[in-house]
Amino acid sequence: MIGTGIGNLAAGIYLIRDGGFKGDQITMMGLEEHGANDGAAVSDYENEYSNQALSNNKGFLAKGGRMLNEETFENLWDVLRSVPSLDNPGQTVTDDILNFDHAHPTHDVGRLIDHNGPRVKNNKDNYRHMQFNNKDRMLLTKLMMMPEKDEERLNNVSIAEYFASSPHFFTTNFWYMWQTTFAFKRASSAVELRRYMNRMILEFTRINTLEGVTRSPYNQYESIILPMRKYLEDRGVTFINNRKVTDIEFKDTPLQDDIIVTGLKYEEVDNDNKEGHLDIDENDLVFDTNGSITDSSSIGDINTAITEKDEYAPSAALWKKAANKFYQLGNPDKFFGDRTQSEWLSFTVTTNNHFLLNEISRITEQEPGNALNTWIDSTSLMSLVIHHQPHFKAQKPNESTFWGYFMYPRRNGDYVQKPVIEMTGKEMLQELLGHLAEVDPSKDNIKNHTQEIMDSIVNVIPVYLPYASAMFNQRAVGDRPDVVPKHSKNLAFISQFCEQPFDMVFTEQYSFRAAQRAVYTLLGIPLTEMTPMHHYEKDPKVMARAAKTMFR
């Protein structure tokens, strides 16, 4: 296993559970312990960001927040039913998450916020209304109804290009909600929007309240990753956390038809980058994470802005070397060659009391745990996620944490006059407080408590993520390799950058399903035995509700 992210962890479980492997037959090699499903004390990221001097390593950090979905994450729930809970003996991780979510259902009442405050009250702009015109409806319906076999008609077509004849689409409540819920930009691929509209059509009717969002009890690292790792470790799987694979060696075959891995070159990063080599037998299996959305990320703190790394994503660089040897292995440059399509900047706030959290709840009119708030008038398009507290097991009773992000980090702030990417954590907090104060209806406006809030801050951690939504970049058929490429005898790709029919990237479900497809294909298990998926886009009742929502 090249990479120790959630996809390879799932593949390890499939190998043991469904493939009859023993744990000691599996080795996982990687560097980034805290990937896309992360969450920990800032001090736990010391090795990951050892070359970035920080003035304050206090508080907590989550680079991002992942929204789960009970109805469409079929592979995830199936695998996690095999993983014992770390917190509740006799339960599984699926039990943990679904029991928590059912006890704390999401109902967002402050989803969109403009200069007048939450849009829940204004009849005209109330975000229950999608605000489509007939041209918007026609184009969106046409996109949804396009047969999968015709997707190549959308090769390298952006969402902006697809809706060029109806720019009104980008002013609707629907677009503000959809893009910030799922992380689309106008420059993103129209193909991926098509897939989301089909796969997530059940959520279309409730996108304004995000009632379909399933939340884990704690951050995804503690709620999902750690139990999966323990399951594998308990069964003898070897984890090597200091090894960076730098090249994949292949057997010379006539006309380069067969893809057979024969060796891996690597560096040991905490051992003066000592180089090594691992022989791979033709009967061994190699699973590669061909691209990570948290690669090349940069961290700051309350007093320190991030320093952008110019490097090509390391996991994609390995993929690129392989793709240069075999034509059927895709085109990583489509996803990692243009940061403007994919970059975000997130920030995690830790406070030593609950004053700021309570003020945000008052202004947004909802309790912690109710998903997402987006300030649609913010130049950099700022959103907040206020988690159910505590979000980290090590969080003290007096501490609060929450997370937010800017979708356009190179734009200037509205209250701090510099590009967001150049701001310290303190300046990002000032930008947030400016937006909160603007919509605060109270006579005792939050701006009157600025010093009290600043005194409560433990840390504000900015993280620049150049490839956060790279899987949505404009692409063509063939730019993503198949999970098991044609003629591959022992190599599979498990990531957000392999090709699978129908399913949607930027979800744990996609990685889990790629893991199952990889294991089943290489072990000769019939793909007809893969976990069944729902097709709500074929359910007449669901589609009738969606059609009604189009005119809501």
Side-chain angles (χ1 to χ4, degrees):
M1 305 284 186
I2 303 173
T4 57
I6 200 167
N8 276 349
L9 296 179
I13 295 172
Y14 278 121
L15 284 169
I16 293 170
R17 191 191 74 175
D18 300 350
F21 271 57
K22 296 180 180 179
D24 61 10
Q25 294 176 285
I26 302 171
T27 299
M28 298 202 173
M29 303 180 295
L31 292 177
E32 190 180 48
E33 184 177 347
H34 300 97
N37 289 270
D38 74 326
V42 174
S43 57
D44 290 347
Y45 288 82
E46 185 175 351
N47 291 333
E48 189 172 332
Y49 295 103
S50 59
N51 61 338
Q52 300 183 48
L54 301 178
S55 59
N56 181 344
N57 67 352
K58 299 177 181 179
F60 296 91
L61 169 61
K63 295 174 195 155
R66 310 307 299 274
M67 295 182 183
L68 309 177
N69 183 258
E70 183 171 352
E71 290 84 0
T72 60
F73 281 31
E74 299 92 342
N75 285 78
L76 178 139
W77 304 124
D78 175 58
V79 169
L80 296 184
R81 283 190 185 95
S82 299
V83 179
S85 166
L86 298 184
D87 301 318
N88 299 294
Q91 291 190 9
T92 68
V93 174
T94 292
D95 295 329
D96 274 355
I97 297 174
L98 295 185
N99 288 344
F100 174 83
D101 182 70
H102 295 165
H104 305 86
T106 299
H107 187 81
D108 199 329
V109 299
R111 179 65 188 85
L112 297 183
I113 298 174
D114 61 19
H115 59 279
N116 293 314
R119 277 194 166 190
V120 71
K121 296 176 180 177
N122 187 303
N123 185 57
K124 177 177 178 291
D125 291 329
N126 187 324
Y127 55 77
R128 181 180 180 277
H129 304 304
M130 297 296 101
Q131 298 184 321
F132 294 129
N133 62 26
N134 285 337
K135 189 68 174 291
D136 300 332
R137 295 184 186 104
M138 184 272 291
L139 289 171
L140 194 59
T141 302
K142 183 180 177 182
L143 184 68
M144 277 190 62
M145 301 306 291
M146 178 182 291
E148 187 174 335
K149 63 182 179 61
D150 293 339
E151 276 190 345
E152 63 182 22
R153 289 162 51 190
L154 298 173
N155 280 357
N156 302 313
V157 174
S158 69
I159 297 173
E161 291 169 319
Y162 181 82
F163 286 97
S165 63
S166 187
H168 174 267
F169 176 81
F170 298 106
T171 69
T172 62
N173 282 336
F174 167 81
W175 173 246
Y176 280 118
M177 290 187 287
W178 200 265
Q179 70 165 328
T180 52
T181 299
F182 300 118
F184 284 100
K185 297 186 178 185
R186 296 188 189 195
S188 299
S189 168
V191 175
E192 302 305 337
L193 178 59
R194 176 199 168 275
R195 291 195 179 189
Y196 261 73
M197 284 302 300
N198 279 281
R199 187 78 163 101
M200 297 295 283
I201 192 62
L202 189 66
E203 304 312 319
F204 177 59
T205 59
R206 53 189 186 185
I207 188 68
N208 55 308
T209 61
L210 291 177
E211 291 176 44
V213 171
T214 302
R215 293 288 188 185
S216 54
Y218 299 98
N219 58 82
Q220 280 81 42
Y221 183 74
E222 291 181 296
S223 291
I224 300 177
I225 299 296
L226 286 182
M228 292 178 74
R229 285 180 69 104
K230 188 172 191 307
Y231 174 99
L232 294 167
E233 289 167 348
D234 286 350
R235 285 155 181 80
V237 173
T238 299
F239 284 85
I240 302 175
N241 297 318
N242 69 334
R243 187 168 289 177
K244 175 184 177 181
V245 177
T246 57
D247 202 3
I248 302 174
E249 298 174 332
F250 296 93
K251 181 178 181 179
D252 289 330
T253 59
L255 302 179
Q256 284 193 322
D257 281 343
D258 290 338
I259 299 174
I260 302 172
V261 178
T262 60
L264 301 176
K265 293 181 180 179
Y266 63 84
E267 295 176 353
E268 294 180 350
V269 296
D270 59 357
N271 189 17
D272 296 324
N273 291 336
K274 181 181 177 181
E275 295 182 353
H277 182 275
L278 184 66
D279 290 330
I280 301 295
D281 187 271
E282 289 188 23
N283 293 319
D284 292 336
L285 306 179
V286 177
F287 299 84
D288 178 32
T289 306
N290 63 311
S292 168
I293 63 173
T294 54
D295 266 2
S296 307
S297 54
S298 306
I299 189 173
D301 68 15
I302 190 166
N303 299 311
T304 313
I306 68 95
T307 299
E308 182 178 357
K309 297 179 182 178
D310 293 327
E311 66 180 3
Y312 196 87
S315 57
L318 180 64
W319 170 23
K320 188 171 182 175
K321 287 181 180 180
N324 287 338
K325 299 171 185 175
F326 297 93
Y327 67 88
Q328 64 266 55
L329 299 190
N331 182 4
D333 284 348
K334 282 290 188 71
F335 308 98
F336 295 92
D338 181 6
R339 295 183 173 193
T340 63
Q341 293 186 54
S342 60
E343 62 185 359
W344 295 6
L345 199 149
S346 73
F347 61 98
T348 307
V349 179
T350 306
T351 65
N352 62 19
N353 62 40
H354 305 303
F355 180 77
L356 176 56
L357 195 74
N358 290 336
E359 289 293 281
I360 293 173
S361 292
R362 176 178 62 80
I363 294 168
T364 62
E365 302 181 20
Q366 61 184 30
E367 294 298 313
N370 277 300
L372 187 63
N373 311 118
T374 295
W375 271 257
I376 65 172
D377 293 334
S378 60
T379 302
S380 53
L381 199 56
M382 181 188 72
S383 296
L384 285 185
V385 177
I386 311 298
H387 306 287
H388 185 276
Q389 304 292 308
H391 192 55
F392 302 86
K393 291 183 179 180
Q395 215 175 307
K396 298 174 183 176
N398 62 295
E399 292 178 324
S400 294
T401 65
F402 62 89
W403 174 84
Y405 71 97
F406 301 94
M407 282 196 72
Y408 298 97
R410 297 190 191 276
R411 295 180 182 176
N412 266 21
D414 297 295
Y415 299 93
V416 178
Q417 294 303 309
K418 63 169 63 174
V420 171
I421 197 171
E422 297 177 11
M423 292 184 191
T424 65
K426 181 179 180 179
E427 290 170 329
M428 289 179 192
L429 180 63
Q430 291 170 337
E431 179 72 12
L432 167 61
L433 293 179
H435 283 288
L436 287 169
E438 181 181 0
V439 299
D440 185 357
S442 171
K443 293 181 181 179
D444 189 20
N445 191 283
I446 191 174
K447 66 184 178 182
N448 297 327
H449 298 274
T450 300
Q451 190 57 53
E452 181 180 353
I453 291 169
M454 288 299 177
D455 290 344
S456 75
I457 300 300
V458 175
N459 213 342
V460 182
I461 303 293
V463 180
Y464 171 63
L465 299 155
Y467 307 117
S469 54
M471 70 290 287
F472 287 154
N473 283 16
Q474 298 159 36
R475 64 170 180 85
V477 173
D479 286 335
R480 297 196 300 224
D482 290 338
V483 174
V484 179
K486 188 177 181 180
H487 303 306
S488 173
K489 305 302 181 183
N490 66 347
L491 173 65
F493 294 117
I494 300 175
S495 74
Q496 300 294 305
F497 301 95
C498 57
E499 178 58 28
Q500 299 184 89
F502 182 63
D503 220 340
M504 52 190 177
V505 291
F506 211 5
T507 63
E508 289 86 346
Q509 162 63 20
Y510 200 84
S511 294
F512 275 69
R513 191 157 188 85
Q516 186 179 35
R517 186 178 300 276
V519 170
Y520 280 32
T521 300
L522 290 177
L523 296 187
I525 302 173
L527 296 185
T528 54
E529 296 183 17
M530 288 182 63
T531 304
M533 295 170 65
H534 293 92
H535 281 269
Y536 292 106
E537 83 287 0
K538 296 180 181 179
D539 185 322
K541 292 183 179 179
V542 172
M543 295 307 292
R545 289 196 296 269
K548 185 177 179 180
T549 301
M550 280 269 196
F551 290 87
R552 195 167 69 193

